[in-house]
Amino acid sequence: LAQAVRAVPHRRRSIELRPPFAIMVIKTDLCAYTEYRIYPGRGQRFVAKDGKISFFISSKADSLFHQRIKPVKLRWTQAWRRMNKKGKV
């Protein structure tokens, strides 16, 4: 009762190495004053006379930068958080 077993070649499925969803990458800049992320369509650029480009998240950050107020003195900036060892910065 020995039956002959034929070797049937398998159809190999192409294995996709892609994840099931596509990851979209968004180009973000950092604010020169607050160090917050600036997403496209937000913020304003300032070009100094020497050609140095600064990018600010808001008019508030721009104004404080031009008043020469140090970001370390303001509790809501990342520089203050880093100086005072608060959380993950």
Side-chain angles (χ1 to χ4, degrees), residues 6-74:
R6 283 191 279 164
V8 178
H10 287 58
R11 283 190 181 177
R12 293 190 178 205
R13 294 180 185 164
S14 62
I15 300 171
E16 293 185 25
L17 300 176
R18 294 184 284 180
F21 53 89
I23 298 171
M24 191 168 106
V25 178
I26 298 173
K27 171 88 169 84
T28 59
D29 291 318
L30 281 181
C31 177
Y33 191 76
T34 63
E35 299 173 30
Y36 289 153
R37 275 196 210 130
I38 304 173
Y39 288 91
R42 302 281 179 200
Q44 55 184 319
R45 248 177 246 276
F46 170 72
V47 181
K49 287 181 184 176
D50 62 355
K52 184 179 177 187
I53 298 172
S54 300
F55 203 38
F56 301 108
I57 196 163
S58 63
S59 59
K60 177 181 176 180
D62 183 31
S63 175
L64 290 166
F65 175 81
H66 286 98
Q67 292 175 47
R68 297 177 188 248
I69 295 173
K70 295 178 184 175
V72 177
K73 303 276 184 183
L74 301 170

